[in-house]
C-alpha cells in the first residue's frame, strides 16, 4: 500500500486557527488542530496582534499532525484561508507595526463615508471594485490609520491582509489572490488588478502590496526552512496563494466554475453571510461584489450580528439558546455591534412590539427572526446580482445551503426554514473553510482546479436535506416594516 499523502488547510478566523490534515487523494479529514486567538478593543474597536495568528497557526498544525499520527514527510502542501478585510502593516523586517484592525472594527465608518463621496458615490465604487466602502473594508481602515495613527501608516513597509501575512511567513514571499484582494476596495474586479486611481485616492503605494496570483490554488512558493522548523513540517512543500475565508468556504462546498454556480449559501457564524459563485460580475451597491478564489465571482452580503448577538440576548434572559418560540408581535433587531448590511455602523439593538403577555422565549425568538431576516433579505439582492429573478419558481426552489456554527442549532435551522420558505441542505461534516484551504493546497501541490479537486472529494450522501415549508410572510413583513421605518430615526441610517 503506497504511503498516504496529505495536505493541510488552515482556517485563520477571528477567534481561532484550525488546521485540517486532509488526505490529498480522497479528501478525508484525518485530524484538526486548534489554537485560540485574542481579540481586544472596546466600543467599535476590534484588534489582534498578527504574531498571535502565527503562533496559533504553528500550534494548530503541530496539534493536527500529532492527532493524525502521520510523519511530516507525508505533507505535500499547505494553504491559508483567513478572515477577510483585516489591515496588517509591517516594518521592513516583516514584523507588525501595530495590532491589526479586524473586519468587525467599525471605527472607520466616517472614513468609509468620506471615501464613497470622494469617488462620486456608491455607483462609482461598484463600477470599479464591485463593492462600496463600509467600515469593514480594508481601504476604510487604511484611511482611518492614516488619520489616527499616521506614524504607523507612514512607517509601513508592507500592507497585508491577514491571510497574506501568514502566507508570507510560510513561503517567504509576498502573495495574495483575487478573492481576498477584492475585499480591500483598492482592487478592481473589472480589470483584475489593483486600481491606480483608488490607490492614489488612498495615498497608498502599490509597492507596499503583494502580487496577486491568478487563483488561490496557485503555488506561490515553498515552505521555508525557518517556517518548517516552527511548524514541524518538511521544508520545500508547496505553499498556495490561499484566499479569504468566505472564498475558501465556497471552494470547500464545490462552488465555482468547475462546480455549482448561482446556488446560494448562508453561513451562520459570528457574522451572517450569504454568497454564491457566479460567472456574472456583480454590480450592486447593496452587496460586496467579490472575486472568487477560482477566477469566477463571489457576490456576498455580510451582517455583523448573527450567532453571538442572539446568544447575548439568550444570556440576558437566562435562557438556553433553543428555549424559544416565534416572536409574535415583538420585533428585535439585534444590531449590538452596529451593522454592515444594511449599512448602519452606529446602530444598536432595537426592540418593539411588547405586550403584557410577551414571554422571554418570544423575545429570544424575535432575536433569531431579526438576525435571520437581515441576512435573508440580502439573499434576494444576491440572486439578482447573479442575473436571476428571486421570484422565479425555479430560482425560489433552489435549495439554500446552510453552514457555520448556527447550522448545527435547531432554532437557527427552523427560523431560516420558516422565513425563507426554501428547501435547506446542511452539508455533512464541518470545517468548510479549512476544507477549501486544503483543496487549494492540493491544487498547489499537484495541479488542477481547486474547485474540481473539492468537488471530487465531496460526498453528499450524509448531507441533511429538509423540504421547504410555507413561508412565514406575516413575520417577514412585520420585521421588514420595522427595519425600514427605523433605519433613519432610530438606527442611525
Amino acid at each position: 500500500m503506497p504511503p498516504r499523502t496529505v495536505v493541510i488547510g488552515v482556517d485563520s478566523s477571528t477567534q481561532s486557527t484550525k488546521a485540517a490534515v486532509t488526505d490529498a487523494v480522497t479528501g478525508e479529514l484525518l485530524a484538526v488542530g486548534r489554537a485560540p486567538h485574542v481579540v481586544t478593543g472596546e466600543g467599535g474597536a476590534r484588534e489582534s496582534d498578527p504574531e498571535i495568528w502565527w503562533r496559533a497557526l504553528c500550534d494548530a498544525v503541530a496539534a493536527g499532525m500529532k492527532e493524525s499520527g502521520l510523519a511530516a514527510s507525508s505533507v505535500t502542501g499547505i494553504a491559508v484561508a483567513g478572515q477577510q478585510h483585516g489591515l496588517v502593516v509591517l516594518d521592513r523586517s516583516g514584523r507588525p507595526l501595530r495590532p491589526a484592525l479586524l473586519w468587525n472594527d467599525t471605527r472607520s465608518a466616517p472614513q468609509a463615508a468620506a471615501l464613497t463621496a470622494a469617488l462620486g458615490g456608491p455607483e462609482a465604487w461598484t463600477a470599479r471594485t464591485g463593492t462600496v466602502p463600509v467600515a469593514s473594508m480594508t481601504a476604510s481602515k487604511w484611511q482611518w490609520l492614516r488619520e489616527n495613527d499616521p506614524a504607523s501608516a507612514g512607517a509601513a513597509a508592507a500592507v497585508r491582509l491577514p491571510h497574506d501575512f501568514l502566507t508570507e511567513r510560510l513561503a517567504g514571499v509576498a502573495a495574495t489572490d483575487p478573492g481576498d484582494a477584492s475585499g480591500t476596495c483598492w482592487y478592481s474586479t473589472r480589470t483584475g488588478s489593483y486600481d491606480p486611481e483608488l490607490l492614489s485616492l488612498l495615498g497608498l503605494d502599490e509597492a507596499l502590496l503583494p502580487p496577486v496570483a491568478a487563483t488561490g490554488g496557485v503555488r506561490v512558493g515553498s515552505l521555508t526552512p525557518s517556517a518548517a522548523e516552527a511548524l514541524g513540517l518538511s521544508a520545500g512543500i508547496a505553499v498556495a496563494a490561499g484566499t479569504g475565508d468566505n472564498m475558501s468556504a465556497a471552494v470547500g462546498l464545490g462552488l465555482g466554475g468547475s462546480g455549482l454556480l448561482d446556488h446560494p449559501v448562508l453561513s451562520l457564524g459570528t457574522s451572517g453571510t450569504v454568497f454564491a459563485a457566479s460567472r456574472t460580475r456583480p454590480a450592486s451597491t447593496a452587496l460586496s461584489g467579490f472575486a472568487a478564489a477560482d477566477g469566477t465571482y463571489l457576490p456576498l452580503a455580510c451582517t455583523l450580528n448573527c450567532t453571538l448577538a442572539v446568544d447575548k440576548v439568550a444570556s440576558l434572559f437566562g435562557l438556553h439558546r433553543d428555549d424559544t418560540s416565534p416572536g409574535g408581535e415583538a420585533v428585535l433587531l439585534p444590531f449590538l455591534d452596529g451593522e454592515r448590511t444594511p449599512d448602519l455602523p452606529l446602530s444598536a439593538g432595537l426592540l418593539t412590539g411588547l405586550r403584557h403577555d410577551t414571554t422571554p422565549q418570544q423575545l429570544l425568538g424575535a432575536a433569531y427572526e431579526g438576525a435571520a431576516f437581515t441576512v435573508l433579505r440580502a439573499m434576494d439582492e444576491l440572486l439578482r446580482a447573479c442575473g436571476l429573478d428571486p421570484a422565479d419558481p425555479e430560482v425560489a426552489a433552489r435549495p439554500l445551503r446552510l453552514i457555520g456554527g448556527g447550522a448545527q442549532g435547531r432554532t437557527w435551522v427552523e427560523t431560516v426554514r420558516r422565513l425563507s420558505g426554501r428547501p435547506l441542505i446542511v452539508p455533512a461534516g464541518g470545517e468548510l473553510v479549512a476544507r477549501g484551504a486544503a483543496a487549494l493546497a492540493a491544487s498547489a501541490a499537484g495541479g488542477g482546479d481547486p474547485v474540481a479537486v473539492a468537488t471530487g472529494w465531496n460526498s453528499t450522501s450524509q448531507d441533511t436535506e429538509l423540504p421547504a415549508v410555507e413561508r412565514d410572510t406575516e413575520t417577514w413583513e412585520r420585521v421588514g416594516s420595522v427595519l425600514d421605518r427605523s433605519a433613519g430615526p432610530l438606527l442611525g441610517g
Side-chain angles (χ1 to χ4, degrees):
M1 182 177 179
R4 190 191 290 267
T5 60
V6 301
V7 289
I8 297 177
V10 177
D11 171 8
S12 181
S13 69
T14 311
Q15 303 292 338
S16 67
T17 293
K18 302 171 187 175
V21 181
T22 305
D23 188 295
V25 177
T26 67
E28 180 186 356
L29 181 62
L30 304 175
V32 180
R34 295 175 171 82
H37 296 171
V38 176
V39 178
T40 61
E42 298 179 350
R46 295 291 185 275
E47 298 183 343
S48 285
D49 179 359
E51 294 292 352
I52 291 177
W53 302 336
W54 173 246
R55 291 194 293 272
L57 190 157
C58 296
D59 291 345
V61 168
M65 289 301 296
K66 181 178 180 180
E67 181 185 336
S68 75
L70 297 170
S73 58
S74 64
V75 181
T76 59
I78 187 169
V80 177
Q83 55 178 304
Q84 288 188 252
H85 311 310
L87 176 65
V88 181
V89 289
L90 306 176
D91 64 18
R92 294 188 181 279
S93 65
R95 300 293 177 183
L97 288 163
R98 68 178 315 281
L101 278 68
L102 304 185
W103 63 274
N104 54 351
D105 189 312
T106 59
R107 288 175 292 176
S108 58
Q111 287 75 23
L115 286 172
T116 301
L119 195 67
E123 290 78 11
W125 281 92
T126 300
R128 289 172 177 267
T129 70
T131 302
V132 180
V134 293
S136 301
M137 300 300 166
T138 324
S140 306
K141 299 181 189 305
W142 172 253
Q143 196 72 352
W144 182 93
L145 194 71
R146 293 178 70 199
E147 296 175 13
N148 292 274
D149 187 359
S152 293
V159 175
R160 301 288 185 262
L161 296 166
H163 114 264
D164 304 343
F165 168 75
L166 294 170
T167 300
E168 193 166 359
R169 281 287 175 91
L170 294 172
V173 296
T176 192
D177 86 301
D180 215 6
S182 68
T184 61
C185 276
W186 58 61
Y187 173 91
S188 172
T189 55
R190 184 179 62 188
T191 64
S193 61
Y194 296 125
D195 189 307
E197 185 175 343
L198 298 181
L199 293 176
S200 177
L201 176 65
L202 294 162
L204 181 59
D205 185 348
E206 185 173 344
L208 300 181
L209 303 176
V212 184
T215 74
V218 168
R219 180 172 183 159
V220 295
S222 302
L223 192 67
T224 67
S226 60
E229 182 179 2
L231 272 64
L233 300 178
S234 302
I237 67 171
V239 177
T243 192
D245 52 4
N246 290 301
M247 294 79 192
S248 189
V251 172
L253 286 165
L255 272 61
S258 299
L260 285 172
L261 290 168
D262 303 322
H263 278 248
V265 176
L266 176 58
S267 176
L268 299 168
T270 303
S271 61
T273 306
V274 61
F275 59 86
S278 182
R279 294 195 187 280
T280 302
R281 178 179 176 269
S284 167
T285 58
L287 301 173
S288 296
F290 295 141
D294 74 328
T296 57
Y297 297 100
L298 197 77
L300 177 149
C302 178
T303 66
L304 292 182
N305 301 277
C306 195
T307 58
L308 288 184
V310 172
D311 283 351
K312 177 62 177 179
V313 174
S315 71
L316 289 175
F317 291 114
L319 297 174
H320 183 274
R321 61 169 60 99
D322 285 324
D323 185 7
T324 69
S325 60
E329 292 184 56
V331 172
L332 202 166
L333 301 175
F335 297 168
L336 307 188
D337 287 318
E339 190 45 77
R340 168 174 166 177
T341 305
D343 185 19
L344 300 167
L346 303 180
S347 64
L350 177 67
L351 171 62
T352 186
L354 288 177
R355 297 292 185 183
H356 281 290
D357 59 354
T358 302
T359 68
Q361 287 77 11
Q362 285 178 312
L363 294 180
L364 179 55
Y368 276 99
E369 292 167 354
F373 170 89
T374 306
V375 68
L376 283 171
R377 187 160 74 165
M379 184 174 67
D380 286 348
E381 185 64 26
L382 171 87
L383 293 169
R384 283 189 284 268
C386 294
L388 303 173
D389 178 2
D392 184 316
E394 187 276 328
V395 174
R398 291 186 185 182
L400 175 60
R401 284 166 172 78
L402 204 60
I403 64 173
Q408 307 308 311
R410 174 179 58 80
T411 304
W412 275 113
V413 171
E414 290 307 314
T415 303
V416 170
R417 192 179 180 200
R418 176 165 54 89
L419 291 184
S420 71
R422 287 176 172 272
L424 301 185
I425 294 177
V426 182
E431 314 305 345
L432 282 170
V433 173
R435 182 177 182 81
L440 297 175
S443 179
D449 179 89
V451 174
V453 169
T455 300
W457 286 351
N458 286 345
S459 171
T460 60
S461 60
Q462 300 300 314
D463 292 353
T464 299
E465 299 186 19
L466 300 172
V469 297
E470 184 178 356
R471 191 174 193 181
D472 184 353
T473 56
E474 181 180 349
T475 298
W476 180 271
E477 291 170 0
R478 182 174 62 253
V479 177
S481 175
V482 169
L483 178 55
D484 291 339
R485 289 185 288 114
S486 303
L490 295 178
L491 292 172

